[in-house]
């Protein structure tokens, strides 16, 4: 038998690798969405005056919502990664 034969990973290692992979995939998806669609317009219409107002008056709220979305993406990625890791 070759010396490089591998034993199957333990459940804990599979969960850890699955969580890491799921987290990275969902962070990449969130980054892609943020880069391609981070604007304050609606159906292609955007106003510079409204954008300046929103960023000056509501910056904290907007950034808090972005942080919540990022947290949700991370949670979903971790859970799905763990389930897929356990399934392997």
């Amino acid at each position: 038998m070759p010396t490089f034969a591998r034993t199957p990973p333990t459940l804990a290692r599979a969960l850890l690798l699955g969580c890491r992979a799921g987290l990275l995939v969902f962070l990449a998806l969130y980054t892609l969405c943020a880069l391609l669609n981070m604007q304050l317009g609606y159906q292609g219409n955007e106003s510079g005056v409204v954008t300046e107002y929103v960023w000056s008056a509501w910056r904290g709220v907007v950034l808090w919502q972005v942080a919540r979305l990022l947290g949700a993406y991370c949670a979903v990625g971790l859970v799905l990664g763990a389930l897929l890791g356990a399934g392997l």
Side-chain angles (χ1 to χ4, degrees):
M1 183 181 314
T3 59
F4 57 86
R6 297 188 326 163
T7 60
T10 63
L11 179 61
R13 181 156 172 80
L15 288 175
L16 180 66
L17 292 175
C19 285
R20 185 176 64 184
L23 181 63
L24 290 176
V25 167
F26 274 79
L27 284 177
L29 289 174
Y30 179 81
T31 303
L32 183 65
C33 288
L35 289 176
L36 295 178
N37 198 24
M38 186 62 96
Q39 58 184 351
L40 295 174
Y42 179 71
Q43 292 186 347
N45 299 317
E46 189 172 2
S47 170
V49 174
V50 173
T51 301
E52 284 299 318
Y53 171 72
V54 168
W55 278 115
S56 64
W58 301 96
R59 178 183 302 267
V61 174
V62 171
L63 293 178
W64 173 243
Q65 294 301 320
V66 168
R68 287 179 57 193
L69 280 173
L70 186 60
Y73 265 77
C74 290
V76 169
L78 287 171
V79 169
L80 288 179
L83 290 174
L84 290 175
L88 292 176

